[in-house]
């Protein structure tokens, strides 16, 4: 049985980072799926490890960690001689560059990208509306007004019963808040991606010529933004960022992590109930990958 265990859901950005790193390093591990939102119904052994219910717990023999970037560092160092040898770099200068860009992701990319993902999930599918420009996305201020107009049309048209005035006003206010949050965080991310564009003009990846944990750490939130047509042009409108994103998101290891994020079929669900710990290794990875 594998000595490495990951407790959490693959849909969590924290967990997804760790799973991809394990696949990149060909580390055999157990994935114990835990729903972080089920409160007291969560598994007793998980609550012993994480009484406050964090989204991720990582065990490697006697070591227990819960911060994804620290786990990336641990995996890359401990298993340096197997799998992808470049994740943590080789020389002091290269490792310093990796650490610099990993910190940039943690301090400047993670929060705005996560809040954009959150706001997009709560906004209607056609809001915010996109306008193409030379520097990505623009919004012309009519999006908030369109929310009001859309709510008014819904209330008066088609013979449908209008929701109570208080409920309608509260919903409209919530959407306006989400749109304001999205626009603010989009501007923050635009500035950061302009810096990335310049960096990727001179290097294939953020820390140099090799794919490292600095690139890997961006994948969960960036993938959700790049998959949504409302935010996709953040990446597509920048030539070097677009090239970099196509490269890192197309890695087989990331595609496999994404396959684990899909809802299981009824057959898989029954199997999971019977055996909650899923064994993963390089061979298992290759065999399951053929099914998708």
């Amino acid at each position: 049985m594998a000595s490495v265990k990951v407790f959490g859901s693959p849909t969590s950005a924290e967990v997804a980072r760790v799973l991809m790193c394990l696949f990149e390093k060909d580390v055999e591990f157990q994935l114990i799926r835990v729903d972080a939102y089920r409160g007291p119904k969560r598994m007793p052994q998980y609550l012993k490890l994480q009484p406050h219910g964090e989204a991720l717990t990582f065990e490697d023999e006697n070591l227990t960690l819960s911060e994804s970037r620290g786990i990336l560092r641990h995996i890359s160092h401990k298993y340096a001689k197997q799998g992808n040898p470049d994740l943590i770099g080789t020389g002091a200068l290269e490792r310093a560059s990796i650490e610099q860009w990993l910190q940039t992701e943690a301090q400047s990319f993670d929060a705005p990208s996560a809040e954009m993902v959150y706001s997009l999930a709560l906004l209607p599918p056609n809001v915010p509306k996109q306008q193409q420009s030379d520097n990505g996305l623009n919004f012309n201020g009519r999006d908030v007004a369109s929310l009001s107009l859309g709510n008014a049309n819904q209330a008066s048209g088609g013979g449908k019963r209008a929701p109570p005035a208080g409920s309608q006003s509260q919903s409209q206010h919530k959407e306006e808040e989400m749109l304001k949050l999205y626009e603010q965080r989009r501007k923050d991310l635009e500035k950061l991606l302009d810096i990335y564009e310049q960096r990727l003009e001179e290097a294939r990846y953020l820390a140099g010529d090799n794919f490292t944990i600095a690139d890997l750490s961006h994948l969960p939130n960036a993938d959700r933004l790049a998959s949504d047509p409302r935010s996709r042009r953040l990446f597509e409108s920048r030539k070097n960022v677009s090239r970099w994103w196509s490269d890192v998101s197309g890695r087989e290891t990331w595609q496999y992590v994404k396959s684990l994020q899909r809802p299981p079929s009824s057959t898989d669900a029954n199997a999971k109930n019977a055996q909650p710990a899923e064994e993963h290794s390089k061979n298992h990875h290759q065999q399951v990958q053929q099914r998708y």
Side-chain angles (χ1 to χ4, degrees):
M1 182 177 293
S3 63
V4 174
K5 297 179 182 178
V6 179
F7 294 80
S9 169
T11 58
S12 159
E14 299 285 312
V15 176
R17 286 190 190 100
V18 173
L19 296 181
M20 183 174 181
C21 189
L22 288 166
F23 288 131
E24 285 280 336
K25 296 302 294 180
D26 292 337
V27 177
E28 185 177 351
F29 67 96
Q30 283 184 296
L31 170 61
I32 297 91
R33 293 179 184 253
V34 179
D35 186 346
Y37 300 99
R38 290 165 67 185
K41 294 183 180 180
R42 284 172 290 184
M43 302 163 70
Q45 68 264 39
Y46 181 71
L47 290 176
K48 290 180 182 178
L49 295 168
Q50 289 289 9
H52 300 294
E54 285 86 347
L56 165 68
T57 301
F58 174 88
E59 281 189 329
D60 189 354
E61 297 179 340
N62 296 323
L63 178 67
T64 300
L65 300 170
S66 60
E67 198 281 314
S68 62
R69 295 167 191 85
I71 297 171
L72 300 185
R73 295 182 183 97
H74 166 78
I75 295 170
S76 300
H77 281 294
K78 180 174 179 178
Y79 302 97
K81 295 184 179 180
Q82 65 188 70
N84 185 342
D86 301 317
L87 286 189
I88 200 64
T90 53
L93 189 61
E94 186 179 6
R95 289 183 176 178
S97 181
I98 292 170
E99 189 61 32
Q100 174 190 346
W101 288 102
L102 188 61
Q103 288 294 324
T104 298
E105 184 277 326
Q107 297 173 7
S108 302
F109 182 88
D110 184 62
S113 61
E115 291 185 10
M116 285 181 69
V117 170
Y118 171 71
S119 59
L120 286 171
L122 296 180
L123 285 168
N126 63 332
V127 175
K129 294 181 176 65
Q130 294 189 39
Q131 284 189 338
Q132 182 173 337
S133 72
D134 293 337
N135 194 35
L137 294 174
N138 275 328
F139 300 95
N140 56 18
R142 291 194 293 269
D143 294 311
V144 173
S146 72
L147 291 174
S148 303
L149 180 60
N151 286 333
N153 289 338
Q154 182 180 10
S156 61
K160 295 181 181 179
R161 185 176 180 180
S167 173
Q168 178 181 342
S169 176
Q170 185 177 8
S171 175
Q172 176 184 334
H173 180 66
K174 182 66 174 177
E175 289 180 347
E176 289 175 356
E177 282 186 342
M178 288 298 99
L179 186 59
K180 183 178 180 180
L181 174 64
Y182 176 88
E183 176 67 2
Q184 178 183 355
R185 301 314 258 163
R186 179 191 65 82
K187 290 178 180 178
D188 293 339
L189 210 54
E190 288 270 12
K191 294 176 182 177
L192 181 64
L193 290 178
D194 285 342
I195 296 173
Y196 281 31
E197 178 71 6
Q198 295 177 14
R199 167 57 180 166
L200 293 167
E201 180 75 41
E202 52 193 46
R204 182 179 179 186
Y205 298 101
L206 290 173
D209 294 328
N210 297 314
F211 176 82
T212 70
I213 58 174
D215 306 288
L216 184 157
S217 193
H218 288 77
L219 276 157
N221 288 342
D223 188 83
R224 294 184 182 183
L225 293 176
S227 299
D228 193 311
R230 295 170 291 177
S231 50
R232 184 178 299 152
R233 279 193 55 78
L234 281 167
F235 303 90
E236 292 180 340
S237 63
R238 294 167 173 82
K239 180 182 70 172
N240 298 314
V241 170
S242 178
R243 182 265 306 159
W244 167 79
W245 175 246
S246 177
D247 190 337
V248 300
S249 63
R251 295 180 75 86
E252 182 184 353
T253 47
W254 178 243
Q255 294 304 311
Y256 185 53
V257 172
K258 290 182 67 173
S259 76
L260 295 177
Q261 296 174 342
R262 299 170 188 163
S265 65
S266 58
T267 302
D268 292 337
N270 291 335
K272 186 175 72 172
N273 290 334
Q275 186 180 2
E278 306 166 20
E279 292 280 356
H280 291 273
S281 64
K282 181 177 181 180
N283 290 336
H284 184 200
H285 171 197
Q286 293 172 339
Q287 292 168 3
V288 178
Q289 184 70 20
Q290 295 174 1
R291 303 205 317 249
Y292 297 96

PDB file of all heavy atoms in Angstrom, residues 36-64:
ATOM      1  N   ALA A  36     -15.267  18.533   1.470  1.00  0.00           N
ATOM      2  CA  ALA A  36     -14.951  19.488   2.537  1.00  0.00           C
ATOM      3  C   ALA A  36     -16.180  20.225   3.051  1.00  0.00           C
ATOM      4  O   ALA A  36     -16.103  20.934   4.043  1.00  0.00           O
ATOM      5  CB  ALA A  36     -13.926  20.501   2.033  1.00  0.00           C
ATOM      6  N   TYR A  37     -17.337  20.066   2.375  1.00  0.00           N
ATOM      7  CA  TYR A  37     -18.518  20.821   2.761  1.00  0.00           C
ATOM      8  C   TYR A  37     -19.562  19.979   3.501  1.00  0.00           C
ATOM      9  O   TYR A  37     -20.666  20.424   3.723  1.00  0.00           O
ATOM     10  CB  TYR A  37     -19.166  21.440   1.514  1.00  0.00           C
ATOM     11  CG  TYR A  37     -18.239  22.375   0.800  1.00  0.00           C
ATOM     12  CD1 TYR A  37     -17.529  21.940  -0.317  1.00  0.00           C
ATOM     13  CD2 TYR A  37     -18.043  23.673   1.248  1.00  0.00           C
ATOM     14  CE1 TYR A  37     -16.647  22.793  -0.973  1.00  0.00           C
ATOM     15  CE2 TYR A  37     -17.167  24.523   0.606  1.00  0.00           C
ATOM     16  CZ  TYR A  37     -16.478  24.084  -0.503  1.00  0.00           C
ATOM     17  OH  TYR A  37     -15.604  24.919  -1.148  1.00  0.00           O
ATOM     18  N   ARG A  38     -19.188  18.779   3.889  1.00  0.00           N
ATOM     19  CA  ARG A  38     -20.170  17.907   4.511  1.00  0.00           C
ATOM     20  C   ARG A  38     -20.126  17.924   6.033  1.00  0.00           C
ATOM     21  O   ARG A  38     -20.801  17.159   6.695  1.00  0.00           O
ATOM     22  CB  ARG A  38     -19.972  16.470   3.996  1.00  0.00           C
ATOM     23  CG  ARG A  38     -20.386  16.337   2.533  1.00  0.00           C
ATOM     24  CD  ARG A  38     -19.871  15.069   1.910  1.00  0.00           C
ATOM     25  NE  ARG A  38     -20.486  13.888   2.479  1.00  0.00           N
ATOM     26  CZ  ARG A  38     -20.127  12.644   2.151  1.00  0.00           C
ATOM     27  NH1 ARG A  38     -19.176  12.446   1.276  1.00  0.00           N
ATOM     28  NH2 ARG A  38     -20.718  11.607   2.701  1.00  0.00           N
ATOM     29  N   GLY A  39     -19.328  18.813   6.586  1.00  0.00           N
ATOM     30  CA  GLY A  39     -19.325  19.044   8.017  1.00  0.00           C
ATOM     31  C   GLY A  39     -19.143  17.779   8.832  1.00  0.00           C
ATOM     32  O   GLY A  39     -18.209  17.013   8.619  1.00  0.00           O
ATOM     33  N   PRO A  40     -20.031  17.520   9.788  1.00  0.00           N
ATOM     34  CA  PRO A  40     -19.844  16.379  10.684  1.00  0.00           C
ATOM     35  C   PRO A  40     -19.953  15.035  10.000  1.00  0.00           C
ATOM     36  O   PRO A  40     -19.615  14.010  10.586  1.00  0.00           O
ATOM     37  CB  PRO A  40     -20.972  16.566  11.714  1.00  0.00           C
ATOM     38  CG  PRO A  40     -21.996  17.393  11.012  1.00  0.00           C
ATOM     39  CD  PRO A  40     -21.212  18.301  10.108  1.00  0.00           C
ATOM     40  N   LYS A  41     -20.422  15.006   8.766  1.00  0.00           N
ATOM     41  CA  LYS A  41     -20.541  13.733   8.049  1.00  0.00           C
ATOM     42  C   LYS A  41     -19.209  13.292   7.444  1.00  0.00           C
ATOM     43  O   LYS A  41     -19.126  12.220   6.855  1.00  0.00           O
ATOM     44  CB  LYS A  41     -21.591  13.852   6.941  1.00  0.00           C
ATOM     45  CG  LYS A  41     -22.995  14.075   7.467  1.00  0.00           C
ATOM     46  CD  LYS A  41     -24.003  14.106   6.324  1.00  0.00           C
ATOM     47  CE  LYS A  41     -25.419  14.324   6.847  1.00  0.00           C
ATOM     48  NZ  LYS A  41     -26.405  14.365   5.746  1.00  0.00           N
ATOM     49  N   ARG A  42     -18.189  14.134   7.562  1.00  0.00           N
ATOM     50  CA  ARG A  42     -16.903  13.774   6.984  1.00  0.00           C
ATOM     51  C   ARG A  42     -16.285  12.574   7.703  1.00  0.00           C
ATOM     52  O   ARG A  42     -16.647  12.261   8.831  1.00  0.00           O
ATOM     53  CB  ARG A  42     -15.944  14.971   7.027  1.00  0.00           C
ATOM     54  CG  ARG A  42     -16.270  15.996   5.950  1.00  0.00           C
ATOM     55  CD  ARG A  42     -15.446  17.233   6.137  1.00  0.00           C
ATOM     56  NE  ARG A  42     -15.885  17.938   7.330  1.00  0.00           N
ATOM     57  CZ  ARG A  42     -15.396  19.115   7.714  1.00  0.00           C
ATOM     58  NH1 ARG A  42     -14.461  19.690   6.993  1.00  0.00           N
ATOM     59  NH2 ARG A  42     -15.832  19.705   8.794  1.00  0.00           N
ATOM     60  N   MET A  43     -15.332  11.956   7.067  1.00  0.00           N
ATOM     61  CA  MET A  43     -14.747  10.733   7.587  1.00  0.00           C
ATOM     62  C   MET A  43     -14.035  10.994   8.915  1.00  0.00           C
ATOM     63  O   MET A  43     -13.285  11.959   9.041  1.00  0.00           O
ATOM     64  CB  MET A  43     -13.756  10.166   6.562  1.00  0.00           C
ATOM     65  CG  MET A  43     -14.403   9.887   5.218  1.00  0.00           C
ATOM     66  SD  MET A  43     -13.165   9.714   3.911  1.00  0.00           S
ATOM     67  CE  MET A  43     -12.452   8.155   4.399  1.00  0.00           C
ATOM     68  N   PRO A  44     -14.247  10.150   9.924  1.00  0.00           N
ATOM     69  CA  PRO A  44     -13.636  10.374  11.239  1.00  0.00           C
ATOM     70  C   PRO A  44     -12.112  10.485  11.174  1.00  0.00           C
ATOM     71  O   PRO A  44     -11.527  11.332  11.849  1.00  0.00           O
ATOM     72  CB  PRO A  44     -14.064   9.134  12.033  1.00  0.00           C
ATOM     73  CG  PRO A  44     -15.322   8.688  11.365  1.00  0.00           C
ATOM     74  CD  PRO A  44     -15.142   8.998   9.918  1.00  0.00           C
ATOM     75  N   GLN A  45     -11.449   9.631  10.350  1.00  0.00           N
ATOM     76  CA  GLN A  45      -9.988   9.702  10.297  1.00  0.00           C
ATOM     77  C   GLN A  45      -9.516  11.007   9.692  1.00  0.00           C
ATOM     78  O   GLN A  45      -8.439  11.510  10.015  1.00  0.00           O
ATOM     79  CB  GLN A  45      -9.397   8.511   9.531  1.00  0.00           C
ATOM     80  CG  GLN A  45      -9.693   8.500   8.033  1.00  0.00           C
ATOM     81  CD  GLN A  45     -10.891   7.627   7.700  1.00  0.00           C
ATOM     82  OE1 GLN A  45     -11.862   7.620   8.440  1.00  0.00           O
ATOM     83  NE2 GLN A  45     -10.786   6.869   6.607  1.00  0.00           N
ATOM     84  N   TYR A  46     -10.348  11.609   8.810  1.00  0.00           N
ATOM     85  CA  TYR A  46      -9.976  12.899   8.225  1.00  0.00           C
ATOM     86  C   TYR A  46     -10.109  14.009   9.259  1.00  0.00           C
ATOM     87  O   TYR A  46      -9.283  14.906   9.338  1.00  0.00           O
ATOM     88  CB  TYR A  46     -10.867  13.198   7.019  1.00  0.00           C
ATOM     89  CG  TYR A  46     -10.530  14.500   6.335  1.00  0.00           C
ATOM     90  CD1 TYR A  46      -9.362  14.639   5.598  1.00  0.00           C
ATOM     91  CD2 TYR A  46     -11.379  15.608   6.437  1.00  0.00           C
ATOM     92  CE1 TYR A  46      -9.041  15.824   4.974  1.00  0.00           C
ATOM     93  CE2 TYR A  46     -11.066  16.801   5.816  1.00  0.00           C
ATOM     94  CZ  TYR A  46      -9.893  16.900   5.082  1.00  0.00           C
ATOM     95  OH  TYR A  46      -9.577  18.096   4.474  1.00  0.00           O
ATOM     96  N   LEU A  47     -11.161  13.956  10.069  1.00  0.00           N
ATOM     97  CA  LEU A  47     -11.366  14.982  11.079  1.00  0.00           C
ATOM     98  C   LEU A  47     -10.284  14.948  12.150  1.00  0.00           C
ATOM     99  O   LEU A  47      -9.966  15.967  12.763  1.00  0.00           O
ATOM    100  CB  LEU A  47     -12.750  14.805  11.717  1.00  0.00           C
ATOM    101  CG  LEU A  47     -13.932  15.144  10.792  1.00  0.00           C
ATOM    102  CD1 LEU A  47     -15.244  14.849  11.483  1.00  0.00           C
ATOM    103  CD2 LEU A  47     -13.890  16.597  10.363  1.00  0.00           C
ATOM    104  N   LYS A  48      -9.693  13.789  12.374  1.00  0.00           N
ATOM    105  CA  LYS A  48      -8.575  13.713  13.304  1.00  0.00           C
ATOM    106  C   LYS A  48      -7.366  14.460  12.750  1.00  0.00           C
ATOM    107  O   LYS A  48      -6.614  15.104  13.476  1.00  0.00           O
ATOM    108  CB  LYS A  48      -8.212  12.249  13.575  1.00  0.00           C
ATOM    109  CG  LYS A  48      -9.244  11.498  14.402  1.00  0.00           C
ATOM    110  CD  LYS A  48      -8.816  10.057  14.617  1.00  0.00           C
ATOM    111  CE  LYS A  48      -9.873   9.287  15.412  1.00  0.00           C
ATOM    112  NZ  LYS A  48      -9.485   7.859  15.585  1.00  0.00           N
ATOM    113  N   LEU A  49      -7.188  14.378  11.412  1.00  0.00           N
ATOM    114  CA  LEU A  49      -6.068  15.058  10.773  1.00  0.00           C
ATOM    115  C   LEU A  49      -6.338  16.552  10.619  1.00  0.00           C
ATOM    116  O   LEU A  49      -5.457  17.385  10.778  1.00  0.00           O
ATOM    117  CB  LEU A  49      -5.798  14.441   9.395  1.00  0.00           C
ATOM    118  CG  LEU A  49      -5.332  12.984   9.367  1.00  0.00           C
ATOM    119  CD1 LEU A  49      -5.398  12.454   7.944  1.00  0.00           C
ATOM    120  CD2 LEU A  49      -3.919  12.863   9.905  1.00  0.00           C
ATOM    121  N   GLN A  50      -7.586  16.881  10.265  1.00  0.00           N
ATOM    122  CA  GLN A  50      -7.944  18.264   9.977  1.00  0.00           C
ATOM    123  C   GLN A  50      -9.227  18.628  10.721  1.00  0.00           C
ATOM    124  O   GLN A  50     -10.311  18.659  10.134  1.00  0.00           O
ATOM    125  CB  GLN A  50      -8.139  18.461   8.460  1.00  0.00           C
ATOM    126  CG  GLN A  50      -6.856  18.417   7.655  1.00  0.00           C
ATOM    127  CD  GLN A  50      -6.001  19.641   7.883  1.00  0.00           C
ATOM    128  OE1 GLN A  50      -6.282  20.449   8.763  1.00  0.00           O
ATOM    129  NE2 GLN A  50      -4.953  19.806   7.104  1.00  0.00           N
ATOM    130  N   PRO A  51      -9.155  18.904  12.010  1.00  0.00           N
ATOM    131  CA  PRO A  51     -10.364  19.218  12.772  1.00  0.00           C
ATOM    132  C   PRO A  51     -11.069  20.476  12.300  1.00  0.00           C
ATOM    133  O   PRO A  51     -12.252  20.653  12.545  1.00  0.00           O
ATOM    134  CB  PRO A  51      -9.840  19.376  14.206  1.00  0.00           C
ATOM    135  CG  PRO A  51      -8.381  19.673  14.065  1.00  0.00           C
ATOM    136  CD  PRO A  51      -7.941  18.924  12.833  1.00  0.00           C
ATOM    137  N   HIS A  52     -10.348  21.367  11.616  1.00  0.00           N
ATOM    138  CA  HIS A  52     -10.958  22.597  11.117  1.00  0.00           C
ATOM    139  C   HIS A  52     -11.468  22.448   9.680  1.00  0.00           C
ATOM    140  O   HIS A  52     -11.978  23.409   9.105  1.00  0.00           O
ATOM    141  CB  HIS A  52      -9.963  23.758  11.206  1.00  0.00           C
ATOM    142  CG  HIS A  52      -9.492  24.027  12.604  1.00  0.00           C
ATOM    143  ND1 HIS A  52     -10.323  24.483  13.607  1.00  0.00           N
ATOM    144  CD2 HIS A  52      -8.266  23.870  13.175  1.00  0.00           C
ATOM    145  CE1 HIS A  52      -9.636  24.610  14.727  1.00  0.00           C
ATOM    146  NE2 HIS A  52      -8.384  24.243  14.493  1.00  0.00           N
ATOM    147  N   GLY A  53     -11.295  21.283   9.106  1.00  0.00           N
ATOM    148  CA  GLY A  53     -11.902  21.000   7.810  1.00  0.00           C
ATOM    149  C   GLY A  53     -11.249  21.651   6.621  1.00  0.00           C
ATOM    150  O   GLY A  53     -11.930  22.074   5.690  1.00  0.00           O
ATOM    151  N   GLU A  54      -9.913  21.787   6.608  1.00  0.00           N
ATOM    152  CA  GLU A  54      -9.248  22.330   5.427  1.00  0.00           C
ATOM    153  C   GLU A  54      -9.514  21.441   4.213  1.00  0.00           C
ATOM    154  O   GLU A  54      -9.840  20.266   4.340  1.00  0.00           O
ATOM    155  CB  GLU A  54      -7.737  22.443   5.682  1.00  0.00           C
ATOM    156  CG  GLU A  54      -7.345  23.599   6.578  1.00  0.00           C
ATOM    157  CD  GLU A  54      -7.410  23.261   8.054  1.00  0.00           C
ATOM    158  OE1 GLU A  54      -7.988  22.206   8.375  1.00  0.00           O
ATOM    159  OE2 GLU A  54      -6.893  24.035   8.866  1.00  0.00           O
ATOM    160  N   ALA A  55      -9.335  22.019   3.025  1.00  0.00           N
ATOM    161  CA  ALA A  55      -9.683  21.299   1.797  1.00  0.00           C
ATOM    162  C   ALA A  55      -8.705  20.184   1.474  1.00  0.00           C
ATOM    163  O   ALA A  55      -9.033  19.283   0.709  1.00  0.00           O
ATOM    164  CB  ALA A  55      -9.744  22.279   0.629  1.00  0.00           C
ATOM    165  N   LEU A  56      -7.509  20.222   2.050  1.00  0.00           N
ATOM    166  CA  LEU A  56      -6.453  19.290   1.653  1.00  0.00           C
ATOM    167  C   LEU A  56      -5.680  18.801   2.870  1.00  0.00           C
ATOM    168  O   LEU A  56      -5.346  19.577   3.762  1.00  0.00           O
ATOM    169  CB  LEU A  56      -5.480  20.005   0.700  1.00  0.00           C
ATOM    170  CG  LEU A  56      -4.118  19.346   0.447  1.00  0.00           C
ATOM    171  CD1 LEU A  56      -4.272  18.037  -0.330  1.00  0.00           C
ATOM    172  CD2 LEU A  56      -3.199  20.307  -0.298  1.00  0.00           C
ATOM    173  N   THR A  57      -5.427  17.503   2.901  1.00  0.00           N
ATOM    174  CA  THR A  57      -4.470  16.927   3.844  1.00  0.00           C
ATOM    175  C   THR A  57      -3.588  15.957   3.080  1.00  0.00           C
ATOM    176  O   THR A  57      -4.084  15.151   2.287  1.00  0.00           O
ATOM    177  CB  THR A  57      -5.173  16.179   4.994  1.00  0.00           C
ATOM    178  OG1 THR A  57      -6.018  17.086   5.687  1.00  0.00           O
ATOM    179  CG2 THR A  57      -4.157  15.615   5.967  1.00  0.00           C
ATOM    180  N   PHE A  58      -2.291  16.046   3.321  1.00  0.00           N
ATOM    181  CA  PHE A  58      -1.299  15.216   2.640  1.00  0.00           C
ATOM    182  C   PHE A  58      -0.494  14.471   3.694  1.00  0.00           C
ATOM    183  O   PHE A  58       0.007  15.079   4.640  1.00  0.00           O
ATOM    184  CB  PHE A  58      -0.380  16.110   1.795  1.00  0.00           C
ATOM    185  CG  PHE A  58       0.781  15.409   1.154  1.00  0.00           C
ATOM    186  CD1 PHE A  58       0.650  14.814  -0.094  1.00  0.00           C
ATOM    187  CD2 PHE A  58       2.014  15.355   1.795  1.00  0.00           C
ATOM    188  CE1 PHE A  58       1.732  14.179  -0.698  1.00  0.00           C
ATOM    189  CE2 PHE A  58       3.105  14.728   1.200  1.00  0.00           C
ATOM    190  CZ  PHE A  58       2.956  14.138  -0.044  1.00  0.00           C
ATOM    191  N   GLU A  59      -0.395  13.161   3.517  1.00  0.00           N
ATOM    192  CA  GLU A  59       0.398  12.330   4.420  1.00  0.00           C
ATOM    193  C   GLU A  59       1.497  11.626   3.638  1.00  0.00           C
ATOM    194  O   GLU A  59       1.232  11.043   2.582  1.00  0.00           O
ATOM    195  CB  GLU A  59      -0.477  11.269   5.093  1.00  0.00           C
ATOM    196  CG  GLU A  59      -1.311  11.751   6.251  1.00  0.00           C
ATOM    197  CD  GLU A  59      -1.973  10.587   6.969  1.00  0.00           C
ATOM    198  OE1 GLU A  59      -2.286   9.566   6.318  1.00  0.00           O
ATOM    199  OE2 GLU A  59      -2.190  10.678   8.190  1.00  0.00           O
ATOM    200  N   ASP A  60       2.706  11.670   4.168  1.00  0.00           N
ATOM    201  CA  ASP A  60       3.834  10.917   3.600  1.00  0.00           C
ATOM    202  C   ASP A  60       4.582  10.307   4.771  1.00  0.00           C
ATOM    203  O   ASP A  60       5.364  10.995   5.440  1.00  0.00           O
ATOM    204  CB  ASP A  60       4.739  11.839   2.779  1.00  0.00           C
ATOM    205  CG  ASP A  60       5.790  11.064   1.987  1.00  0.00           C
ATOM    206  OD1 ASP A  60       5.885   9.834   2.171  1.00  0.00           O
ATOM    207  OD2 ASP A  60       6.515  11.684   1.184  1.00  0.00           O
ATOM    208  N   GLU A  61       4.279   9.031   5.022  1.00  0.00           N
ATOM    209  CA  GLU A  61       4.789   8.342   6.203  1.00  0.00           C
ATOM    210  C   GLU A  61       4.362   9.117   7.446  1.00  0.00           C
ATOM    211  O   GLU A  61       3.177   9.267   7.692  1.00  0.00           O
ATOM    212  CB  GLU A  61       6.309   8.155   6.093  1.00  0.00           C
ATOM    213  CG  GLU A  61       6.699   7.264   4.902  1.00  0.00           C
ATOM    214  CD  GLU A  61       8.187   7.097   4.758  1.00  0.00           C
ATOM    215  OE1 GLU A  61       8.961   7.920   5.303  1.00  0.00           O
ATOM    216  OE2 GLU A  61       8.593   6.109   4.089  1.00  0.00           O
ATOM    217  N   ASN A  62       5.310   9.640   8.228  1.00  0.00           N
ATOM    218  CA  ASN A  62       4.948  10.326   9.468  1.00  0.00           C
ATOM    219  C   ASN A  62       4.737  11.828   9.305  1.00  0.00           C
ATOM    220  O   ASN A  62       4.470  12.525  10.289  1.00  0.00           O
ATOM    221  CB  ASN A  62       6.030  10.086  10.536  1.00  0.00           C
ATOM    222  CG  ASN A  62       6.134   8.626  10.922  1.00  0.00           C
ATOM    223  OD1 ASN A  62       5.124   7.922  10.987  1.00  0.00           O
ATOM    224  ND2 ASN A  62       7.346   8.159  11.196  1.00  0.00           N
ATOM    225  N   LEU A  63       4.849  12.324   8.080  1.00  0.00           N
ATOM    226  CA  LEU A  63       4.712  13.757   7.818  1.00  0.00           C
ATOM    227  C   LEU A  63       3.289  14.077   7.361  1.00  0.00           C
ATOM    228  O   LEU A  63       2.751  13.409   6.487  1.00  0.00           O
ATOM    229  CB  LEU A  63       5.707  14.190   6.741  1.00  0.00           C
ATOM    230  CG  LEU A  63       5.658  15.664   6.316  1.00  0.00           C
ATOM    231  CD1 LEU A  63       6.102  16.562   7.469  1.00  0.00           C
ATOM    232  CD2 LEU A  63       6.530  15.882   5.090  1.00  0.00           C
ATOM    233  N   THR A  64       2.691  15.109   7.953  1.00  0.00           N
ATOM    234  CA  THR A  64       1.366  15.571   7.545  1.00  0.00           C
ATOM    235  C   THR A  64       1.443  17.051   7.192  1.00  0.00           C
ATOM    236  O   THR A  64       1.936  17.863   7.990  1.00  0.00           O
ATOM    237  CB  THR A  64       0.332  15.373   8.669  1.00  0.00           C
ATOM    238  OG1 THR A  64       0.253  13.983   8.998  1.00  0.00           O
ATOM    239  CG2 THR A  64      -1.049  15.851   8.213  1.00  0.00           C
TER     240      THR A  64
END
